[in-house]
Amino acid sequence: MTIYQFLVLFLLWVCLPHFCSPEIMFRRTPVPQKRILGARVPRSDGKILHRQKRGWMWNQFFLLEEYTGSDYQYVGKLHSDQDKGDGSLKYILSGDGAGTLFIIDEKTGDIHATRRIDREEKAFYTLRAQAINRRTLRPVEPESEFVIKIHDINDNEPTFPEEIYTASVPEMSVVGTSVVQVTATDADDPSYGNSARVIYSILQGQPYFSVEPETGIIRTALPNMNRENREQYQVVIQAKDMGGQMGGLSGTTTVNITLTDVNDNPPRFPQNTIHLRVLESSPVGTAIGSVKATDADTGKNAEVEYRIIDGDGTDMFDIITEKDTQEGIITVKKPLDYESRRLYTLKVEAENTHVDPRFYYLGPFKDTTIVKISVEDVDEPPVFSRSSYLFEVHEDIEVGTIIGTVMARDPDSTSSPIRFSLDRHTDLDRIFNIHSGNGSLYTSKPLDRELSQWHNLTVIAAEINNPKEMTRVAVFVRILDVNDNAPQFAVFYDTFVCENARPGQLIQTISAVDKDDPLGGQKFFFSLAAVNPNFTVQDNEDNTARILTRKNGFNRHEISTYLLPVVISDNDYPIQSSTGTLTIRVCACDSQGNMQSCSAEALLLPAGLSTGALVAILLCIIILLVIVVLFAALKRQRKKEPLILSKEDIRDNIVSYNDEGGGEEDTQAFDIGTLRNPAAIEEKKLRRDIIPETLFIPRRTPTAPDNTDVRDFINERLKEHDLDPTAPPYDSLATYAYEGNDSIAESLSSLESGTTDGDQNYDYLREWGPRFNKLAEMYGGGESDKDS
């Protein structure tokens, strides 16, 4: 702290009224009453109670911040009127910082601050004091609060929230135009003295800018500042407290100011005259060069629009504004010809598209220049007199006849001679040719309109001195029609006449076609080559004719076919005609005239039997033959199937017993004892469940004792059939069809009937009595199964 600051603070401390008496006395009120919190409290009796003073009267203590002395800083003194100075009272301090930051002498009541205090951390402290009797420890005064306020000193400099500011202002702005406002803050107490009163000043940036001392607003200080001369400025602003007086603290910041562009500069061409060159062969739309007007402005303020405003080449050239480069591109508008004109002059104007009315006085914002364009000569190909040629020629002209001439010239000033030729890709048949010197086209083969009505040719004209310079032109040759084709029948006619035809009956309508194409259209005439007693032709005069009969009835036995020559003529010049022959067949027809048969072989068939009926009969015969073949194949297949089947053909059965009984007198049920008498089975009996295709020798089975158990017998038979190659491929073990040995009659089974070649006779069944009459009716006197 400087001596000057210390003196100022000391004078302030001396002059303030509350600093004159640091001793605070405790004074008792005459009549102690209970503390009343409210200022005024209405009572029910209508009286108003006023707030009474406490028994302690306190004033505020004031303390300077940032004390730098070596001893404790003296704050003040507490004293009670009950204190007689004999040390019987004890002063107690409590509250904010009591005992640490603030201490009190319990005998004298002196208060000291133990360390330096910063007001920016805390501006005041609230404490409580009490005086008690040291011996009885009873309070002699009620506890009361007092405040220690920290007086501010200027110990904080102004600071800016940003170290560097960025701002902009349009160029050419008037003096005093606001640019940006900067604000500094001071942590000192703004309500005490001038410690927090900040004043702004400019340290760097004069004379271009200024700053308002109180507000910190930066403004322009010079008129017509031009961005094109200088665009960036750096301004340093100082903020100083104590109202800017000597001894105040200060802070600085930097403001970077940019001048933004305005359209205050017109475009200017760097040259008054610009020379360009272009080849005469340049196609339309070719860019031949560019012009550019410079503008010191930027962005949209520098945008320029180019146009041709005058000159002798306004109809031959055009100009396009290129937005990216701000150039004017000059292009060819029409084809050029060096031999016609070799120099053109254009007057080109460049004008700003965005003009600021404030700067009209700096204008005009446009400029002009002269562009001279020289046309350079090139060796051009020949030029035909027409863009295409059309020649018409009749198809009957002689070979070598000239059909037309094409003409071409060299547009160059040298006028080189021309050679003509045909592109053979357009005349593969080599029907035409051309004279190379004069361009005359002539025929080299006969023409035929009916083969090709049009010929599209290409003629090439090339300079003799420079054959690479050539030009092509299309030549269309149309072949005109000549009446050189005779008319003919339009289609092939299949004509017939009924045997029962009457005179004048229509049997055919004919028409004709002609390859020629006369201008007036086709007109045909029909007639007979000679008078025919059987048929006649009647012309309908619409290019058709009718064939009619002339007699009553025809006989196909006598003549089955008639040939009728018909003459067809056209009416063009010279008249062409041809003879077409109709073949007329004689056919049998029904009463309505519908054809039934025309061939002579049909007479040999029975009457009323048509071709459709014969086809149906043949189909029936074929179907019957197919049925017979299928039935025979099924018959052969049935021989290999088992003849004795169970009603329920369940293949998982172990065995099936089909015993027929013991004959006519046997009415007993099946006896299991049969299985115990294997000797009764004939040794050489073949299998009855399937007809074997190959005869296998039966295997002998050893005779089992009479007391052989049924289970052992079945197991032996199971083993036997497992080894038997003729056993059926079923899941069953075997099928036993044992008939017994007590029947007088022979077996009625037909299982063995399939092995016999001849038919069996069942007439003997009628002799067996009424019981077999049904069988006799089924089998006797009828055909065998094999035949059926």
Side-chain angles (χ1 to χ4, degrees):
M1 182 181 296
T2 64
I3 298 175
Y4 174 78
Q5 292 175 336
F6 180 78
L7 292 175
V8 171
L9 293 176
F10 179 77
L11 290 175
L12 290 174
W13 181 77
V14 170
C15 295
L16 287 176
H18 44 261
F19 283 131
C20 296
S21 179
E23 179 180 338
I24 297 179
M25 302 295 292
F26 291 96
R27 297 176 183 176
R28 187 179 299 276
T29 57
V31 180
Q33 295 183 3
K34 186 177 181 180
R35 182 181 178 184
I36 300 175
L37 298 176
R40 286 187 178 182
V41 180
R43 298 181 62 176
S44 60
D45 56 0
K47 296 181 180 180
I48 298 177
L49 297 178
H50 293 277
R51 177 177 174 180
Q52 300 294 331
K53 294 183 180 181
R54 305 188 209 179
W56 294 50
M57 294 297 296
W58 299 96
N59 289 328
Q60 293 181 343
F61 290 108
F62 294 91
L63 187 65
L64 286 176
E65 68 171 336
E66 303 293 344
Y67 173 72
T68 59
S70 58
D71 298 333
Y72 290 162
Q73 185 180 3
Y74 182 72
V75 179
K77 184 181 182 65
L78 297 179
H79 186 72
S80 175
D81 55 1
Q82 299 295 325
D83 188 358
K84 303 301 183 179
D86 55 0
S88 60
L89 293 182
K90 180 181 180 180
Y91 294 97
I92 299 174
L93 187 65
S94 62
D96 292 340
T100 57
L101 180 58
F102 301 104
I103 57 175
I104 188 170
D105 189 337
E106 62 181 15
K107 292 182 179 180
T108 63
D110 292 331
I111 301 173
H112 291 82
T114 60
R115 60 179 174 83
R116 185 172 58 181
I117 299 175
D118 188 0
R119 189 203 66 85
E120 284 69 41
E121 292 181 1
K122 193 167 184 178
F124 64 91
Y125 295 86
T126 302
L127 294 96
R128 294 182 298 277
Q130 192 174 29
I132 64 174
N133 189 289
R134 187 182 296 275
R135 184 174 55 86
T136 62
L137 300 179
R138 297 181 63 183
V140 297
E141 295 287 353
E143 183 182 49
S144 185
E145 290 184 349
F146 67 95
V147 176
I148 299 177
K149 286 190 174 182
I150 310 300
H151 268 307
D152 183 47
I153 64 172
N154 190 18
D155 59 344
N156 293 279
E157 70 277 1
T159 59
F160 290 93
E162 298 182 15
E163 294 183 1
I164 298 178
Y165 288 84
T166 301
S168 62
V169 63
E171 63 173 333
M172 307 298 291
S173 297
V174 298
V175 176
T177 302
S178 175
V179 180
V180 68
Q181 183 179 12
V182 294
T183 303
T185 59
D186 195 321
D188 294 325
D189 188 2
S191 64
Y192 179 73
N194 293 327
S195 299
R197 184 186 173 202
V198 179
I199 297 298
Y200 301 94
S201 62
I202 184 167
L203 301 181
Q204 178 183 330
Q206 299 94 341
Y208 306 104
F209 299 95
S210 64
V211 62
E212 291 184 357
E214 300 292 338
T215 61
I217 299 176
I218 301 174
R219 300 182 182 275
T220 58
L222 283 181
N224 300 328
M225 286 192 295
N226 197 341
R227 183 197 66 83
E228 288 72 32
N229 295 332
R230 184 177 176 181
E231 184 176 4
Q232 299 289 337
Y233 295 87
Q234 191 175 70
V235 179
V236 178
I237 302 297
Q238 181 189 61
K240 191 174 184 180
D241 59 10
M242 297 297 293
Q245 297 178 3
M246 184 179 298
L249 304 179
S250 64
T252 61
T253 187
T254 300
V255 182
N256 292 327
I257 301 176
T258 302
L259 296 183
T260 59
D261 185 59
V262 298
N263 192 6
D264 59 340
N265 294 280
R268 291 290 180 263
F269 283 105
Q271 298 174 347
N272 294 328
T273 304
I274 300 174
H275 294 274
L276 298 176
R277 296 180 180 274
V278 60
L279 297 175
E280 64 172 335
S281 60
S282 299
V284 174
T286 302
I288 63 175
S290 64
V291 295
K292 185 175 183 179
T294 59
D295 194 324
D297 298 322
T298 60
K300 69 175 185 178
N301 296 321
E303 292 182 1
V304 178
E305 187 72 26
Y306 296 91
R307 64 179 65 90
I308 299 174
I309 60 175
D310 198 3
D312 54 12
T314 56
D315 57 340
M316 302 299 295
F317 301 94
D318 199 359
I319 190 167
I320 301 172
T321 302
E322 180 63 39
K323 298 297 183 181
D324 296 334
T325 61
Q326 289 298 305
E327 293 180 332
I329 310 299
I330 299 177
T331 61
V332 178
K333 189 176 181 180
K334 290 183 179 180
L336 303 174
D337 188 6
Y338 172 82
E339 288 72 27
S340 300
R341 187 162 190 169
R342 304 180 182 183
L343 181 64
Y344 295 90
T345 302
L346 304 175
K347 187 176 183 180
V348 178
E349 179 186 73
E351 182 180 10
N352 280 142
T353 56
H354 303 280
V355 180
D356 194 335
R358 297 177 299 171
F359 305 104
Y360 277 153
Y361 67 95
L362 299 175
F365 286 85
K366 55 186 175 180
D367 194 16
T368 59
T369 187
I370 301 299
V371 180
K372 293 185 177 182
I373 303 174
S374 299
V375 181
E376 296 183 349
D377 185 29
V378 295
D379 192 3
E380 299 177 84
V383 178
F384 284 95
S385 59
R386 300 179 189 175
S387 59
S388 63
Y389 293 87
L390 173 62
F391 300 137
E392 293 183 345
V393 59
H394 287 88
E395 62 178 329
D396 60 346
I397 64 172
E398 296 181 358
V399 175
T401 303
I402 295 177
I403 62 174
T405 302
V406 296
M407 299 177 62
R409 64 177 180 84
D410 184 7
D412 298 323
S413 57
T414 57
S415 186
S416 175
I418 305 299
R419 181 186 298 275
F420 297 94
S421 62
L422 269 177
D423 185 353
R424 288 303 176 185
H425 292 90
T426 60
D427 185 26
L428 296 176
D429 296 332
R430 296 183 176 270
I431 300 176
F432 300 93
N433 212 335
I434 190 170
H435 291 289
S436 61
N438 57 14
S440 298
L441 279 169
Y442 61 92
T443 60
S444 59
K445 289 183 179 181
L447 302 178
D448 189 354
R449 189 200 67 86
E450 285 69 41
L451 294 179
S452 180
Q453 186 175 356
W454 286 91
H455 294 274
N456 301 327
L457 308 176
T458 298
V459 176
I460 302 173
E463 296 181 7
I464 296 178
N465 298 333
N466 187 8
K468 293 183 179 180
E469 295 297 332
M470 62 178 63
T471 306
R472 297 170 178 265
V473 70
V475 178
F476 305 102
V477 180
R478 181 182 180 184
I479 310 302
L480 302 179
D481 185 41
V482 174
N483 191 24
D484 57 348
N485 292 278
Q488 298 176 350
F489 282 130
V491 295
F492 174 77
Y493 295 100
D494 184 12
T495 308
F496 71 94
V497 61
C498 295
E499 289 183 312
N500 55 358
R502 297 182 300 276
Q505 185 174 346
L506 174 65
I507 63 173
Q508 185 68 60
T509 299
I510 59 175
S511 61
V513 293
D514 194 336
K515 295 180 180 180
D516 296 322
D517 188 15
L519 296 178
Q522 297 285 4
K523 178 63 177 177
F524 302 119
F525 301 96
F526 300 89
S527 62
L528 293 179
V531 178
N532 192 298
N534 301 314
F535 305 97
T536 185
V537 174
Q538 183 177 351
D539 196 333
N540 295 328
E541 297 183 357
D542 58 355
N543 292 340
T544 63
R546 297 185 297 171
I547 306 299
L548 305 176
T549 58
R550 295 187 63 182
K551 69 175 185 177
N552 188 10
F554 294 85
N555 191 343
R556 58 176 167 164
H557 301 290
E558 297 177 358
I559 301 176
S560 60
T561 303
Y562 291 91
L563 299 178
L564 182 64
V566 178
V567 178
I568 310 172
S569 304
D570 57 21
N571 66 338
D572 202 2
Y573 181 82
I575 295 177
Q576 300 288 339
S577 63
S578 65
T579 301
T581 301
L582 284 177
T583 300
I584 304 174
R585 296 180 299 156
V586 180
C587 300
C589 303
D590 56 14
S591 58
Q592 284 78 25
N594 298 321
M595 180 182 66
Q596 290 183 341
S597 175
C598 296
S599 60
E601 290 78 2
L603 299 174
L604 302 177
L605 297 177
L609 196 58
S610 64
T611 304
L614 292 176
V615 173
I617 293 173
L618 291 176
L619 289 176
C620 292
I621 294 174
I622 293 172
I623 292 173
L624 289 175
L625 290 176
V626 172
I627 293 174
V628 171
V629 172
L630 292 176
F631 182 79
L634 293 175
K635 182 66 175 178
R636 294 187 60 185
Q637 186 177 2
R638 288 178 56 189
K639 292 181 180 181
K640 299 181 181 181
E641 297 179 355
L643 301 179
I644 300 176
L645 298 175
S646 172
K647 292 182 179 180
E648 297 178 0
D649 189 9
I650 301 175
R651 302 301 173 87
D652 291 338
N653 292 344
I654 295 178
V655 67
S656 177
Y657 299 99
N658 295 323
D659 184 54
E660 295 184 1
E664 300 175 10
E665 303 299 330
D666 186 6
T667 57
Q668 300 297 325
F670 182 86
D671 186 9
I672 195 65
T674 305
L675 294 177
R676 299 182 180 273
N677 188 16
I681 302 176
E682 299 179 9
E683 295 182 355
K684 297 184 179 180
K685 185 176 289 292
L686 300 178
R687 295 175 59 88
R688 294 177 177 271
D689 60 334
I690 188 169
I691 300 175
E693 295 181 356
T694 304
L695 184 61
F696 291 91
I697 300 175
R699 298 177 59 185
R700 283 187 174 273
T701 304
T703 303
D706 294 339
N707 58 355
T708 302
D709 190 75
V710 174
R711 180 181 301 173
D712 295 338
F713 174 77
I714 293 176
N715 288 335
E716 291 178 3
R717 290 297 179 267
L718 175 60
K719 182 178 180 181
E720 175 186 351
H721 285 282
D722 285 341
L723 300 175
D724 188 359
T726 62
Y730 299 154
D731 292 338
S732 60
L733 296 180
T735 300
Y736 295 96
Y738 182 69
E739 296 180 350
N741 55 0
D742 292 336
S743 177
I744 301 175
E746 296 179 359
S747 175
L748 298 178
S749 175
S750 62
L751 294 177
E752 294 179 344
S753 63
T755 60
T756 60
D757 296 331
D759 298 336
Q760 297 184 18
N761 187 7
Y762 296 96
D763 293 336
Y764 61 91
L765 294 175
R766 302 181 183 276
E767 300 176 359
W768 288 3
R771 296 184 179 182
F772 297 92
N773 289 338
K774 188 62 176 177
L775 290 175
E777 292 176 1
M778 294 175 60
Y779 294 94
E783 296 179 354
S784 65
D785 294 339
K786 186 179 298 186
D787 295 335
S788 63

